[in-house]
Amino acid sequence: MRSESGIAAGMVPAPSEAAGVRGAIAANLRRTRLARGLSVRELAELTGVSKALISQVERGVANPTVEVLSRLATTLELTFGELTRIHLVGPEVIRRGDGVPLPVGGSTIRTLFAAPDRRRFELAEGDIPADTRSAKSSHGRGSVEHAYVVSGEVTVETGEWSVTLAAGDALRFTSESDHVYATGPVPCRVLTLISFSED
């Protein structure tokens, strides 16, 4: 089926989706370039891509070709997937009353989080006693952690943010950096799912 413009339906991403991808590329390119200690001029010299185009890509206003993106990724020692992946900026919290449970057969299912890409994962159930702090943990580049509180209450902490969850709450966050689970006077049972990038 074709639209009035003659483009096959489903072939072109929605404007918001395209903007999201451009924004991800812009953030990933700028963050990695700065981490490598490169100026825009130096990156241009290394890749053969013009300074103007690199600047436009970092501002999210350009639509670079796959060839340009590949050259940038290779020079910055990134995979193509790492350059284009949309990263979590901060924690995403779903409270117990959020979302709409859908009837499926005789049950109801409330979707909490859906993976935006192909990943491998580990699912675990944790029982954390009262007044306990877990050991610090991190799970590598590109990892994302999901937590769902079955009972009790727990606070998830990183060096940048802290979120307290009660029974029925869910949380998704990038787990590249150290984080801990801490309980107060009430013990907690929590399900965690850690997803790892295939790149």
Side-chain angles (χ1 to χ4, degrees), residues 1-2 21 47 61-62 73 76 88 106-107 115 121 139 150 152 160 165 169 172 195:
M1 180 177 179
R2 292 186 173 270
V21 173
T47 60
V61 297
L76 294 171
L88 291 173
S107 304
F121 66 90
H139 306 293
V150 177
E160 299 176 348
L165 305 171
D169 292 344
R172 173 165 61 181
S195 62

Side-chain angles (χ1 to χ4, degrees), residues 59-103:
R59 294 198 315 273
V61 297
N63 289 311
T65 64
V66 172
E67 180 184 350
V68 166
L69 292 177
S70 295
R71 276 194 271 168
L72 291 169
T74 299
T75 300
L76 294 171
E77 298 179 349
L78 296 173
T79 66
F80 189 82
E82 288 171 335
L83 180 60
T84 57
R85 180 178 299 119
I86 297 175
H87 290 272
L88 291 173
V89 175
E92 295 179 51
V93 181
I94 296 178
R95 298 297 180 188
R96 179 171 52 192
D98 294 346
V100 179
L102 300 176

Side-chain angles (χ1 to χ4, degrees), residues 13-69:
S16 60
E17 294 176 359
V21 173
R22 281 197 303 271
I25 292 169
N28 295 336
L29 177 60
R30 179 174 173 77
R31 182 178 60 249
T32 308
R33 176 179 63 76
L34 293 174
R36 302 284 191 271
L38 296 172
S39 67
V40 172
R41 179 183 57 77
E42 290 169 331
L43 183 58
E45 291 173 354
L46 291 170
T47 60
V49 177
S50 73
K51 291 189 298 183
L53 180 54
I54 291 174
S55 179
Q56 290 173 349
V57 172
E58 288 194 356
R59 294 198 315 273
V61 297
N63 289 311
T65 64
V66 172
E67 180 184 350
V68 166
L69 292 177

Side-chain angles (χ1 to χ4, degrees), residues 11 15 60 66 85 117 128 133 135 155 157 177 184:
M11 294 297 289
V66 172
R85 180 178 299 119
D117 49 21
I128 308 173
R133 289 178 65 82
T155 298
E157 304 173 4
S177 302

Side-chain angles (χ1 to χ4, degrees), residues 137-190:
S137 62
S138 60
H139 306 293
R141 188 165 69 177
S143 63
V144 173
E145 187 157 340
H146 307 69
Y148 176 79
V149 178
V150 177
S151 62
E153 186 175 286
V154 69
T155 298
V156 185
E157 304 173 4
T158 71
E160 299 176 348
W161 51 263
S162 173
V163 174
T164 299
L165 305 171
D169 292 344
L171 174 71
R172 173 165 61 181
F173 61 97
T174 177
S175 52
E176 296 181 356
S177 302
D178 284 343
H179 54 277
V180 299
Y181 287 77
T183 55
V186 179
C188 177
R189 172 168 287 182
V190 60

